[in-house]
Every structure is written in C-alpha cells, then in structure tokens.
C-alpha cells in the first residue's frame, strides 16, 4: 500500500466505513478505467497525524466523491465532507455525490 506521496489524484473518496466493501468495489471499477484514487485505507499510516494527511489528500486531488451508501453518512465522513466542501469552494474542486 502506497502512502500519499503528494502526487495529484483524480478523486478523493469520502465514505462511511460501514460501506467499505461497496466502496472498494467502486474503487476497483474506476481504477480499471484509469482513474487515480485517494483512499484512506491505502494512504493513512498508524501513528501519523491523520487529519493533516486527509487534508493533503483533498488538496492534492482534482475532485472529491462523497459516497452515501445504505448506512448513510458516517461521523468521520461528515468531517471529511465538511472539509472537502470548504476546500472545494476555496480551490474550485468539484464535489460529487455518489
């Protein structure tokens, strides 16, 4: 698993961890089409300040996908979504509900 190396990604994925299985399937599908993805399970490393890494992930992505599955929006996802909306406005990033 690769840590966020600062390279731009096409999309930052925000999701409820209870929907992880479905989100992984979505990621598999879009990466097969050449879309690069920032996904926390692949980018975050235990012991590092995750909030900074998340912010960097959003800052280095071209868009944000807010995934809303059968379990609704989770508490951490809500934090990500609020940060993404704030940054999206500031940076002109599209935020895509999925």
């Amino acid at each position: 698993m690769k840590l966020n190396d600062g390279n731009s990604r096409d999309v930052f994925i925000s999701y409820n961890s209870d929907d992880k299985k479905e989100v992984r399937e979505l990621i598999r599908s879009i990466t097969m089409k050449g879309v690069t993805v920032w996904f926390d399970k692949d980018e975050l490393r235990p012991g590092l300040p995750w909030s900074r890494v998340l912010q960097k992930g959003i800052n280095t992505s071209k868009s944000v996908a807010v995934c809303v599955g059968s379990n609704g929006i989770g508490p951490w996802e809500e934090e990500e979504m609020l940060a993404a909306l704030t940054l999206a406005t500031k940076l002109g990033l599209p935020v895509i509900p999925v």
Side-chain angles (χ1 to χ4, degrees):
M1 292 190 180
K2 192 164 127 180
L3 294 175
N4 186 340
D5 55 9
N7 291 332
S8 179
R9 305 296 202 283
D10 292 318
V11 63
F12 176 97
I13 302 288
S14 178
Y15 68 102
N16 184 334
S17 60
D18 291 337
D19 295 320
K20 190 181 329 175
K21 180 181 175 186
E22 294 83 358
V23 170
R24 282 206 181 270
E25 181 59 31
L26 170 68
I27 291 169
R28 188 189 69 73
S29 295
I30 64 176
T31 56
M32 287 179 60
K33 296 179 188 305
V35 176
T36 57
V37 173
W38 195 100
F39 181 56
D40 65 347
K41 297 301 178 197
D42 295 337
E43 305 290 337
L44 297 179
R45 199 170 62 177
L48 294 179
W50 58 267
S51 62
R52 287 188 198 145
V53 179
L54 283 176
Q55 184 173 10
K56 185 176 180 181
I58 294 168
N59 280 326
T60 59
S61 295
K62 297 174 186 169
S63 63
V64 176
V66 178
C67 299
V68 182
S70 59
N71 293 298
I73 294 177
W76 292 112
E77 181 183 14
E78 187 169 345
E79 295 282 330
E80 288 175 5
M81 185 177 58
L82 292 174
L85 290 172
T86 300
L87 285 172
T89 301
K90 183 178 177 182
L91 302 172
L93 295 176
V95 178
I96 307 156
V98 179

PDB file of all heavy atoms in Angstrom, residues 7-44:
ATOM      1  N   ASN A   7       1.546  13.308  -5.018  1.00  0.00           N
ATOM      2  CA  ASN A   7       1.102  13.346  -6.407  1.00  0.00           C
ATOM      3  C   ASN A   7      -0.404  13.552  -6.461  1.00  0.00           C
ATOM      4  O   ASN A   7      -1.139  13.073  -5.618  1.00  0.00           O
ATOM      5  CB  ASN A   7       1.457  12.036  -7.131  1.00  0.00           C
ATOM      6  CG  ASN A   7       2.949  11.892  -7.319  1.00  0.00           C
ATOM      7  OD1 ASN A   7       3.672  12.874  -7.400  1.00  0.00           O
ATOM      8  ND2 ASN A   7       3.409  10.667  -7.382  1.00  0.00           N
ATOM      9  N   SER A   8      -0.820  14.236  -7.492  1.00  0.00           N
ATOM     10  CA  SER A   8      -2.243  14.508  -7.672  1.00  0.00           C
ATOM     11  C   SER A   8      -3.017  13.227  -7.952  1.00  0.00           C
ATOM     12  O   SER A   8      -2.528  12.333  -8.648  1.00  0.00           O
ATOM     13  CB  SER A   8      -2.411  15.489  -8.836  1.00  0.00           C
ATOM     14  OG  SER A   8      -3.763  15.747  -9.053  1.00  0.00           O
ATOM     15  N   ARG A   9      -4.204  13.143  -7.381  1.00  0.00           N
ATOM     16  CA  ARG A   9      -5.124  12.041  -7.656  1.00  0.00           C
ATOM     17  C   ARG A   9      -6.333  12.631  -8.380  1.00  0.00           C
ATOM     18  O   ARG A   9      -6.638  13.810  -8.240  1.00  0.00           O
ATOM     19  CB  ARG A   9      -5.592  11.369  -6.370  1.00  0.00           C
ATOM     20  CG  ARG A   9      -4.519  10.856  -5.445  1.00  0.00           C
ATOM     21  CD  ARG A   9      -3.689   9.740  -6.082  1.00  0.00           C
ATOM     22  NE  ARG A   9      -3.015   8.900  -5.127  1.00  0.00           N
ATOM     23  CZ  ARG A   9      -1.913   9.216  -4.473  1.00  0.00           C
ATOM     24  NH1 ARG A   9      -1.370  10.395  -4.625  1.00  0.00           N
ATOM     25  NH2 ARG A   9      -1.354   8.369  -3.640  1.00  0.00           N
ATOM     26  N   ASP A  10      -7.032  11.808  -9.123  1.00  0.00           N
ATOM     27  CA  ASP A  10      -8.245  12.269  -9.787  1.00  0.00           C
ATOM     28  C   ASP A  10      -9.366  12.508  -8.790  1.00  0.00           C
ATOM     29  O   ASP A  10     -10.122  13.461  -8.918  1.00  0.00           O
ATOM     30  CB  ASP A  10      -8.708  11.261 -10.842  1.00  0.00           C
ATOM     31  CG  ASP A  10      -7.763  11.171 -12.011  1.00  0.00           C
ATOM     32  OD1 ASP A  10      -7.284  12.231 -12.473  1.00  0.00           O
ATOM     33  OD2 ASP A  10      -7.474  10.050 -12.466  1.00  0.00           O
ATOM     34  N   VAL A  11      -9.470  11.633  -7.788  1.00  0.00           N
ATOM     35  CA  VAL A  11     -10.601  11.737  -6.862  1.00  0.00           C
ATOM     36  C   VAL A  11     -10.212  11.287  -5.455  1.00  0.00           C
ATOM     37  O   VAL A  11      -9.516  10.296  -5.265  1.00  0.00           O
ATOM     38  CB  VAL A  11     -11.821  10.937  -7.388  1.00  0.00           C
ATOM     39  CG1 VAL A  11     -11.535   9.452  -7.486  1.00  0.00           C
ATOM     40  CG2 VAL A  11     -13.056  11.180  -6.550  1.00  0.00           C
ATOM     41  N   PHE A  12     -10.657  12.071  -4.479  1.00  0.00           N
ATOM     42  CA  PHE A  12     -10.545  11.747  -3.064  1.00  0.00           C
ATOM     43  C   PHE A  12     -11.864  11.083  -2.684  1.00  0.00           C
ATOM     44  O   PHE A  12     -12.932  11.627  -2.954  1.00  0.00           O
ATOM     45  CB  PHE A  12     -10.350  13.032  -2.254  1.00  0.00           C
ATOM     46  CG  PHE A  12     -10.313  12.839  -0.757  1.00  0.00           C
ATOM     47  CD1 PHE A  12      -9.108  12.738  -0.097  1.00  0.00           C
ATOM     48  CD2 PHE A  12     -11.489  12.783  -0.022  1.00  0.00           C
ATOM     49  CE1 PHE A  12      -9.067  12.586   1.284  1.00  0.00           C
ATOM     50  CE2 PHE A  12     -11.465  12.628   1.354  1.00  0.00           C
ATOM     51  CZ  PHE A  12     -10.243  12.531   2.011  1.00  0.00           C
ATOM     52  N   ILE A  13     -11.802   9.905  -2.067  1.00  0.00           N
ATOM     53  CA  ILE A  13     -13.013   9.164  -1.709  1.00  0.00           C
ATOM     54  C   ILE A  13     -13.341   9.386  -0.234  1.00  0.00           C
ATOM     55  O   ILE A  13     -12.535   9.089   0.644  1.00  0.00           O
ATOM     56  CB  ILE A  13     -12.832   7.645  -1.956  1.00  0.00           C
ATOM     57  CG1 ILE A  13     -12.473   7.351  -3.407  1.00  0.00           C
ATOM     58  CG2 ILE A  13     -14.061   6.871  -1.504  1.00  0.00           C
ATOM     59  CD1 ILE A  13     -13.583   7.544  -4.393  1.00  0.00           C
ATOM     60  N   SER A  14     -14.536   9.916   0.020  1.00  0.00           N
ATOM     61  CA  SER A  14     -15.061  10.070   1.371  1.00  0.00           C
ATOM     62  C   SER A  14     -16.227   9.089   1.514  1.00  0.00           C
ATOM     63  O   SER A  14     -17.101   9.044   0.645  1.00  0.00           O
ATOM     64  CB  SER A  14     -15.540  11.514   1.574  1.00  0.00           C
ATOM     65  OG  SER A  14     -16.101  11.672   2.854  1.00  0.00           O
ATOM     66  N   TYR A  15     -16.235   8.313   2.601  1.00  0.00           N
ATOM     67  CA  TYR A  15     -17.240   7.250   2.720  1.00  0.00           C
ATOM     68  C   TYR A  15     -17.461   6.875   4.178  1.00  0.00           C
ATOM     69  O   TYR A  15     -16.641   7.186   5.044  1.00  0.00           O
ATOM     70  CB  TYR A  15     -16.789   6.013   1.936  1.00  0.00           C
ATOM     71  CG  TYR A  15     -15.586   5.339   2.553  1.00  0.00           C
ATOM     72  CD1 TYR A  15     -15.721   4.187   3.317  1.00  0.00           C
ATOM     73  CD2 TYR A  15     -14.321   5.879   2.416  1.00  0.00           C
ATOM     74  CE1 TYR A  15     -14.628   3.590   3.913  1.00  0.00           C
ATOM     75  CE2 TYR A  15     -13.218   5.289   3.003  1.00  0.00           C
ATOM     76  CZ  TYR A  15     -13.383   4.149   3.756  1.00  0.00           C
ATOM     77  OH  TYR A  15     -12.294   3.567   4.366  1.00  0.00           O
ATOM     78  N   ASN A  16     -18.557   6.210   4.437  1.00  0.00           N
ATOM     79  CA  ASN A  16     -18.856   5.631   5.742  1.00  0.00           C
ATOM     80  C   ASN A  16     -18.131   4.293   5.806  1.00  0.00           C
ATOM     81  O   ASN A  16     -18.292   3.455   4.925  1.00  0.00           O
ATOM     82  CB  ASN A  16     -20.367   5.438   5.882  1.00  0.00           C
ATOM     83  CG  ASN A  16     -20.776   4.927   7.241  1.00  0.00           C
ATOM     84  OD1 ASN A  16     -20.028   4.273   7.945  1.00  0.00           O
ATOM     85  ND2 ASN A  16     -22.012   5.228   7.612  1.00  0.00           N
ATOM     86  N   SER A  17     -17.345   4.061   6.855  1.00  0.00           N
ATOM     87  CA  SER A  17     -16.579   2.816   6.949  1.00  0.00           C
ATOM     88  C   SER A  17     -17.476   1.579   6.949  1.00  0.00           C
ATOM     89  O   SER A  17     -17.033   0.487   6.581  1.00  0.00           O
ATOM     90  CB  SER A  17     -15.670   2.823   8.180  1.00  0.00           C
ATOM     91  OG  SER A  17     -16.434   2.953   9.355  1.00  0.00           O
ATOM     92  N   ASP A  18     -18.745   1.738   7.310  1.00  0.00           N
ATOM     93  CA  ASP A  18     -19.671   0.606   7.264  1.00  0.00           C
ATOM     94  C   ASP A  18     -19.980   0.185   5.820  1.00  0.00           C
ATOM     95  O   ASP A  18     -20.507  -0.900   5.591  1.00  0.00           O
ATOM     96  CB  ASP A  18     -20.982   0.941   7.975  1.00  0.00           C
ATOM     97  CG  ASP A  18     -20.796   1.077   9.487  1.00  0.00           C
ATOM     98  OD1 ASP A  18     -19.824   0.508  10.028  1.00  0.00           O
ATOM     99  OD2 ASP A  18     -21.627   1.753  10.125  1.00  0.00           O
ATOM    100  N   ASP A  19     -19.666   1.050   4.858  1.00  0.00           N
ATOM    101  CA  ASP A  19     -19.889   0.756   3.437  1.00  0.00           C
ATOM    102  C   ASP A  19     -18.581   0.419   2.713  1.00  0.00           C
ATOM    103  O   ASP A  19     -18.506   0.489   1.492  1.00  0.00           O
ATOM    104  CB  ASP A  19     -20.559   1.960   2.748  1.00  0.00           C
ATOM    105  CG  ASP A  19     -21.950   2.225   3.285  1.00  0.00           C
ATOM    106  OD1 ASP A  19     -22.687   1.253   3.534  1.00  0.00           O
ATOM    107  OD2 ASP A  19     -22.296   3.411   3.453  1.00  0.00           O
ATOM    108  N   LYS A  20     -17.557   0.052   3.480  1.00  0.00           N
ATOM    109  CA  LYS A  20     -16.225  -0.174   2.926  1.00  0.00           C
ATOM    110  C   LYS A  20     -16.217  -1.195   1.786  1.00  0.00           C
ATOM    111  O   LYS A  20     -15.542  -0.995   0.776  1.00  0.00           O
ATOM    112  CB  LYS A  20     -15.272  -0.631   4.022  1.00  0.00           C
ATOM    113  CG  LYS A  20     -13.830  -0.649   3.600  1.00  0.00           C
ATOM    114  CD  LYS A  20     -12.878  -1.121   4.698  1.00  0.00           C
ATOM    115  CE  LYS A  20     -13.373  -0.762   6.061  1.00  0.00           C
ATOM    116  NZ  LYS A  20     -12.620  -1.241   7.167  1.00  0.00           N
ATOM    117  N   LYS A  21     -16.960  -2.268   1.909  1.00  0.00           N
ATOM    118  CA  LYS A  21     -16.977  -3.308   0.872  1.00  0.00           C
ATOM    119  C   LYS A  21     -17.470  -2.732  -0.465  1.00  0.00           C
ATOM    120  O   LYS A  21     -16.845  -2.946  -1.509  1.00  0.00           O
ATOM    121  CB  LYS A  21     -17.871  -4.469   1.313  1.00  0.00           C
ATOM    122  CG  LYS A  21     -17.942  -5.591   0.314  1.00  0.00           C
ATOM    123  CD  LYS A  21     -18.848  -6.704   0.794  1.00  0.00           C
ATOM    124  CE  LYS A  21     -19.006  -7.753  -0.272  1.00  0.00           C
ATOM    125  NZ  LYS A  21     -19.971  -8.779   0.092  1.00  0.00           N
ATOM    126  N   GLU A  22     -18.560  -1.996  -0.425  1.00  0.00           N
ATOM    127  CA  GLU A  22     -19.113  -1.410  -1.650  1.00  0.00           C
ATOM    128  C   GLU A  22     -18.184  -0.342  -2.228  1.00  0.00           C
ATOM    129  O   GLU A  22     -18.028  -0.227  -3.442  1.00  0.00           O
ATOM    130  CB  GLU A  22     -20.495  -0.813  -1.381  1.00  0.00           C
ATOM    131  CG  GLU A  22     -21.566  -1.833  -1.028  1.00  0.00           C
ATOM    132  CD  GLU A  22     -21.573  -2.238   0.443  1.00  0.00           C
ATOM    133  OE1 GLU A  22     -20.725  -1.778   1.240  1.00  0.00           O
ATOM    134  OE2 GLU A  22     -22.453  -3.043   0.807  1.00  0.00           O
ATOM    135  N   VAL A  23     -17.560   0.428  -1.350  1.00  0.00           N
ATOM    136  CA  VAL A  23     -16.650   1.477  -1.798  1.00  0.00           C
ATOM    137  C   VAL A  23     -15.418   0.862  -2.456  1.00  0.00           C
ATOM    138  O   VAL A  23     -14.946   1.338  -3.487  1.00  0.00           O
ATOM    139  CB  VAL A  23     -16.279   2.420  -0.632  1.00  0.00           C
ATOM    140  CG1 VAL A  23     -15.153   3.371  -1.019  1.00  0.00           C
ATOM    141  CG2 VAL A  23     -17.503   3.201  -0.190  1.00  0.00           C
ATOM    142  N   ARG A  24     -14.909  -0.210  -1.887  1.00  0.00           N
ATOM    143  CA  ARG A  24     -13.758  -0.895  -2.514  1.00  0.00           C
ATOM    144  C   ARG A  24     -14.133  -1.389  -3.915  1.00  0.00           C
ATOM    145  O   ARG A  24     -13.317  -1.332  -4.828  1.00  0.00           O
ATOM    146  CB  ARG A  24     -13.273  -2.050  -1.649  1.00  0.00           C
ATOM    147  CG  ARG A  24     -12.432  -1.584  -0.481  1.00  0.00           C
ATOM    148  CD  ARG A  24     -11.473  -2.688  -0.041  1.00  0.00           C
ATOM    149  NE  ARG A  24     -10.682  -2.285   1.079  1.00  0.00           N
ATOM    150  CZ  ARG A  24      -9.504  -1.690   0.991  1.00  0.00           C
ATOM    151  NH1 ARG A  24      -9.007  -1.396  -0.182  1.00  0.00           N
ATOM    152  NH2 ARG A  24      -8.823  -1.367   2.071  1.00  0.00           N
ATOM    153  N   GLU A  25     -15.345  -1.860  -4.099  1.00  0.00           N
ATOM    154  CA  GLU A  25     -15.806  -2.303  -5.423  1.00  0.00           C
ATOM    155  C   GLU A  25     -15.875  -1.109  -6.387  1.00  0.00           C
ATOM    156  O   GLU A  25     -15.472  -1.212  -7.543  1.00  0.00           O
ATOM    157  CB  GLU A  25     -17.163  -2.989  -5.319  1.00  0.00           C
ATOM    158  CG  GLU A  25     -17.708  -3.503  -6.632  1.00  0.00           C
ATOM    159  CD  GLU A  25     -16.812  -4.519  -7.326  1.00  0.00           C
ATOM    160  OE1 GLU A  25     -16.097  -5.273  -6.645  1.00  0.00           O
ATOM    161  OE2 GLU A  25     -16.813  -4.554  -8.578  1.00  0.00           O
ATOM    162  N   LEU A  26     -16.379   0.023  -5.906  1.00  0.00           N
ATOM    163  CA  LEU A  26     -16.405   1.235  -6.714  1.00  0.00           C
ATOM    164  C   LEU A  26     -14.987   1.629  -7.124  1.00  0.00           C
ATOM    165  O   LEU A  26     -14.722   1.916  -8.294  1.00  0.00           O
ATOM    166  CB  LEU A  26     -17.059   2.381  -5.925  1.00  0.00           C
ATOM    167  CG  LEU A  26     -16.938   3.773  -6.546  1.00  0.00           C
ATOM    168  CD1 LEU A  26     -17.753   3.873  -7.831  1.00  0.00           C
ATOM    169  CD2 LEU A  26     -17.360   4.834  -5.541  1.00  0.00           C
ATOM    170  N   ILE A  27     -14.075   1.617  -6.171  1.00  0.00           N
ATOM    171  CA  ILE A  27     -12.679   1.971  -6.449  1.00  0.00           C
ATOM    172  C   ILE A  27     -12.077   1.018  -7.473  1.00  0.00           C
ATOM    173  O   ILE A  27     -11.394   1.439  -8.409  1.00  0.00           O
ATOM    174  CB  ILE A  27     -11.858   1.996  -5.149  1.00  0.00           C
ATOM    175  CG1 ILE A  27     -12.307   3.175  -4.286  1.00  0.00           C
ATOM    176  CG2 ILE A  27     -10.358   2.057  -5.432  1.00  0.00           C
ATOM    177  CD1 ILE A  27     -11.759   3.154  -2.874  1.00  0.00           C
ATOM    178  N   ARG A  28     -12.328  -0.262  -7.306  1.00  0.00           N
ATOM    179  CA  ARG A  28     -11.820  -1.248  -8.261  1.00  0.00           C
ATOM    180  C   ARG A  28     -12.324  -0.928  -9.663  1.00  0.00           C
ATOM    181  O   ARG A  28     -11.567  -0.908 -10.631  1.00  0.00           O
ATOM    182  CB  ARG A  28     -12.231  -2.671  -7.865  1.00  0.00           C
ATOM    183  CG  ARG A  28     -11.569  -3.752  -8.714  1.00  0.00           C
ATOM    184  CD  ARG A  28     -12.151  -5.130  -8.440  1.00  0.00           C
ATOM    185  NE  ARG A  28     -13.520  -5.264  -8.912  1.00  0.00           N
ATOM    186  CZ  ARG A  28     -13.886  -5.364 -10.192  1.00  0.00           C
ATOM    187  NH1 ARG A  28     -12.992  -5.307 -11.142  1.00  0.00           N
ATOM    188  NH2 ARG A  28     -15.155  -5.495 -10.516  1.00  0.00           N
ATOM    189  N   SER A  29     -13.595  -0.613  -9.774  1.00  0.00           N
ATOM    190  CA  SER A  29     -14.200  -0.323 -11.082  1.00  0.00           C
ATOM    191  C   SER A  29     -13.612   0.924 -11.728  1.00  0.00           C
ATOM    192  O   SER A  29     -13.296   0.921 -12.917  1.00  0.00           O
ATOM    193  CB  SER A  29     -15.710  -0.126 -10.944  1.00  0.00           C
ATOM    194  OG  SER A  29     -16.328  -1.308 -10.527  1.00  0.00           O
ATOM    195  N   ILE A  30     -13.467   1.992 -10.956  1.00  0.00           N
ATOM    196  CA  ILE A  30     -12.992   3.234 -11.578  1.00  0.00           C
ATOM    197  C   ILE A  30     -11.488   3.218 -11.833  1.00  0.00           C
ATOM    198  O   ILE A  30     -11.028   3.827 -12.793  1.00  0.00           O
ATOM    199  CB  ILE A  30     -13.438   4.494 -10.802  1.00  0.00           C
ATOM    200  CG1 ILE A  30     -12.858   4.558  -9.408  1.00  0.00           C
ATOM    201  CG2 ILE A  30     -14.953   4.592 -10.784  1.00  0.00           C
ATOM    202  CD1 ILE A  30     -13.202   5.835  -8.636  1.00  0.00           C
ATOM    203  N   THR A  31     -10.725   2.517 -10.998  1.00  0.00           N
ATOM    204  CA  THR A  31      -9.284   2.442 -11.258  1.00  0.00           C
ATOM    205  C   THR A  31      -8.997   1.607 -12.503  1.00  0.00           C
ATOM    206  O   THR A  31      -8.016   1.859 -13.191  1.00  0.00           O
ATOM    207  CB  THR A  31      -8.487   1.911 -10.055  1.00  0.00           C
ATOM    208  OG1 THR A  31      -8.993   0.649  -9.660  1.00  0.00           O
ATOM    209  CG2 THR A  31      -8.532   2.883  -8.894  1.00  0.00           C
ATOM    210  N   MET A  32      -9.862   0.656 -12.797  1.00  0.00           N
ATOM    211  CA  MET A  32      -9.705  -0.127 -14.033  1.00  0.00           C
ATOM    212  C   MET A  32      -9.886   0.760 -15.264  1.00  0.00           C
ATOM    213  O   MET A  32      -9.414   0.438 -16.345  1.00  0.00           O
ATOM    214  CB  MET A  32     -10.696  -1.296 -14.060  1.00  0.00           C
ATOM    215  CG  MET A  32     -10.327  -2.404 -13.091  1.00  0.00           C
ATOM    216  SD  MET A  32     -11.507  -3.778 -13.092  1.00  0.00           S
ATOM    217  CE  MET A  32     -11.424  -4.314 -14.783  1.00  0.00           C
ATOM    218  N   LYS A  33     -10.550   1.880 -15.090  1.00  0.00           N
ATOM    219  CA  LYS A  33     -10.762   2.829 -16.188  1.00  0.00           C
ATOM    220  C   LYS A  33      -9.699   3.931 -16.201  1.00  0.00           C
ATOM    221  O   LYS A  33      -9.810   4.896 -16.934  1.00  0.00           O
ATOM    222  CB  LYS A  33     -12.154   3.435 -16.093  1.00  0.00           C
ATOM    223  CG  LYS A  33     -13.262   2.410 -16.259  1.00  0.00           C
ATOM    224  CD  LYS A  33     -14.616   3.056 -16.135  1.00  0.00           C
ATOM    225  CE  LYS A  33     -15.752   2.077 -16.101  1.00  0.00           C
ATOM    226  NZ  LYS A  33     -15.885   1.134 -17.140  1.00  0.00           N
ATOM    227  N   GLY A  34      -8.692   3.800 -15.337  1.00  0.00           N
ATOM    228  CA  GLY A  34      -7.589   4.744 -15.319  1.00  0.00           C
ATOM    229  C   GLY A  34      -7.729   5.905 -14.358  1.00  0.00           C
ATOM    230  O   GLY A  34      -6.900   6.811 -14.350  1.00  0.00           O
ATOM    231  N   VAL A  35      -8.769   5.903 -13.529  1.00  0.00           N
ATOM    232  CA  VAL A  35      -8.976   6.978 -12.559  1.00  0.00           C
ATOM    233  C   VAL A  35      -8.071   6.707 -11.350  1.00  0.00           C
ATOM    234  O   VAL A  35      -8.065   5.609 -10.811  1.00  0.00           O
ATOM    235  CB  VAL A  35     -10.456   7.046 -12.114  1.00  0.00           C
ATOM    236  CG1 VAL A  35     -10.659   8.086 -11.028  1.00  0.00           C
ATOM    237  CG2 VAL A  35     -11.366   7.315 -13.310  1.00  0.00           C
ATOM    238  N   THR A  36      -7.302   7.718 -10.943  1.00  0.00           N
ATOM    239  CA  THR A  36      -6.464   7.569  -9.752  1.00  0.00           C
ATOM    240  C   THR A  36      -7.253   8.017  -8.534  1.00  0.00           C
ATOM    241  O   THR A  36      -7.998   8.991  -8.585  1.00  0.00           O
ATOM    242  CB  THR A  36      -5.163   8.380  -9.875  1.00  0.00           C
ATOM    243  OG1 THR A  36      -5.471   9.749 -10.108  1.00  0.00           O
ATOM    244  CG2 THR A  36      -4.285   7.836 -10.992  1.00  0.00           C
ATOM    245  N   VAL A  37      -7.089   7.283  -7.433  1.00  0.00           N
ATOM    246  CA  VAL A  37      -7.942   7.445  -6.255  1.00  0.00           C
ATOM    247  C   VAL A  37      -7.109   7.670  -5.001  1.00  0.00           C
ATOM    248  O   VAL A  37      -6.090   7.007  -4.798  1.00  0.00           O
ATOM    249  CB  VAL A  37      -8.820   6.181  -6.081  1.00  0.00           C
ATOM    250  CG1 VAL A  37      -9.603   6.217  -4.797  1.00  0.00           C
ATOM    251  CG2 VAL A  37      -9.745   6.008  -7.268  1.00  0.00           C
ATOM    252  N   TRP A  38      -7.577   8.600  -4.170  1.00  0.00           N
ATOM    253  CA  TRP A  38      -7.042   8.754  -2.810  1.00  0.00           C
ATOM    254  C   TRP A  38      -8.047   8.083  -1.891  1.00  0.00           C
ATOM    255  O   TRP A  38      -9.182   8.515  -1.759  1.00  0.00           O
ATOM    256  CB  TRP A  38      -6.893  10.229  -2.440  1.00  0.00           C
ATOM    257  CG  TRP A  38      -6.030  10.436  -1.223  1.00  0.00           C
ATOM    258  CD1 TRP A  38      -4.715  10.810  -1.217  1.00  0.00           C
ATOM    259  CD2 TRP A  38      -6.398  10.271   0.151  1.00  0.00           C
ATOM    260  NE1 TRP A  38      -4.252  10.893   0.065  1.00  0.00           N
ATOM    261  CE2 TRP A  38      -5.271  10.558   0.932  1.00  0.00           C
ATOM    262  CE3 TRP A  38      -7.570   9.901   0.799  1.00  0.00           C
ATOM    263  CZ2 TRP A  38      -5.278  10.489   2.322  1.00  0.00           C
ATOM    264  CZ3 TRP A  38      -7.579   9.826   2.185  1.00  0.00           C
ATOM    265  CH2 TRP A  38      -6.441  10.125   2.924  1.00  0.00           C
ATOM    266  N   PHE A  39      -7.621   6.972  -1.253  1.00  0.00           N
ATOM    267  CA  PHE A  39      -8.485   6.177  -0.380  1.00  0.00           C
ATOM    268  C   PHE A  39      -7.765   6.003   0.948  1.00  0.00           C
ATOM    269  O   PHE A  39      -6.627   5.531   0.985  1.00  0.00           O
ATOM    270  CB  PHE A  39      -8.760   4.835  -1.052  1.00  0.00           C
ATOM    271  CG  PHE A  39      -9.668   3.909  -0.283  1.00  0.00           C
ATOM    272  CD1 PHE A  39     -10.927   4.299   0.102  1.00  0.00           C
ATOM    273  CD2 PHE A  39      -9.253   2.617   0.018  1.00  0.00           C
ATOM    274  CE1 PHE A  39     -11.772   3.433   0.797  1.00  0.00           C
ATOM    275  CE2 PHE A  39     -10.087   1.748   0.698  1.00  0.00           C
ATOM    276  CZ  PHE A  39     -11.339   2.156   1.091  1.00  0.00           C
ATOM    277  N   ASP A  40      -8.406   6.378   2.039  1.00  0.00           N
ATOM    278  CA  ASP A  40      -7.735   6.397   3.332  1.00  0.00           C
ATOM    279  C   ASP A  40      -7.065   5.082   3.709  1.00  0.00           C
ATOM    280  O   ASP A  40      -5.970   5.079   4.253  1.00  0.00           O
ATOM    281  CB  ASP A  40      -8.683   6.877   4.431  1.00  0.00           C
ATOM    282  CG  ASP A  40      -9.853   5.946   4.698  1.00  0.00           C
ATOM    283  OD1 ASP A  40     -10.122   5.035   3.898  1.00  0.00           O
ATOM    284  OD2 ASP A  40     -10.547   6.173   5.717  1.00  0.00           O
ATOM    285  N   LYS A  41      -7.689   3.969   3.420  1.00  0.00           N
ATOM    286  CA  LYS A  41      -7.121   2.670   3.811  1.00  0.00           C
ATOM    287  C   LYS A  41      -5.805   2.394   3.097  1.00  0.00           C
ATOM    288  O   LYS A  41      -4.996   1.619   3.585  1.00  0.00           O
ATOM    289  CB  LYS A  41      -8.109   1.528   3.537  1.00  0.00           C
ATOM    290  CG  LYS A  41      -9.389   1.631   4.327  1.00  0.00           C
ATOM    291  CD  LYS A  41      -9.129   1.628   5.813  1.00  0.00           C
ATOM    292  CE  LYS A  41     -10.405   1.782   6.595  1.00  0.00           C
ATOM    293  NZ  LYS A  41     -10.195   2.169   7.957  1.00  0.00           N
ATOM    294  N   ASP A  42      -5.584   3.042   1.968  1.00  0.00           N
ATOM    295  CA  ASP A  42      -4.330   2.880   1.231  1.00  0.00           C
ATOM    296  C   ASP A  42      -3.315   3.968   1.563  1.00  0.00           C
ATOM    297  O   ASP A  42      -2.130   3.811   1.285  1.00  0.00           O
ATOM    298  CB  ASP A  42      -4.600   2.912  -0.281  1.00  0.00           C
ATOM    299  CG  ASP A  42      -5.441   1.747  -0.745  1.00  0.00           C
ATOM    300  OD1 ASP A  42      -5.477   0.706  -0.058  1.00  0.00           O
ATOM    301  OD2 ASP A  42      -6.078   1.885  -1.809  1.00  0.00           O
ATOM    302  N   GLU A  43      -3.770   5.064   2.145  1.00  0.00           N
ATOM    303  CA  GLU A  43      -2.906   6.232   2.328  1.00  0.00           C
ATOM    304  C   GLU A  43      -2.502   6.511   3.771  1.00  0.00           C
ATOM    305  O   GLU A  43      -1.405   7.005   4.002  1.00  0.00           O
ATOM    306  CB  GLU A  43      -3.599   7.483   1.779  1.00  0.00           C
ATOM    307  CG  GLU A  43      -4.047   7.377   0.343  1.00  0.00           C
ATOM    308  CD  GLU A  43      -2.896   7.350  -0.643  1.00  0.00           C
ATOM    309  OE1 GLU A  43      -1.794   7.828  -0.317  1.00  0.00           O
ATOM    310  OE2 GLU A  43      -3.109   6.857  -1.762  1.00  0.00           O
ATOM    311  N   LEU A  44      -3.383   6.238   4.724  1.00  0.00           N
ATOM    312  CA  LEU A  44      -3.093   6.568   6.114  1.00  0.00           C
ATOM    313  C   LEU A  44      -2.223   5.495   6.758  1.00  0.00           C
ATOM    314  O   LEU A  44      -2.390   4.305   6.499  1.00  0.00           O
ATOM    315  CB  LEU A  44      -4.393   6.721   6.911  1.00  0.00           C
ATOM    316  CG  LEU A  44      -5.324   7.840   6.470  1.00  0.00           C
ATOM    317  CD1 LEU A  44      -6.578   7.846   7.336  1.00  0.00           C
ATOM    318  CD2 LEU A  44      -4.631   9.186   6.524  1.00  0.00           C
TER     319      LEU A  44
END
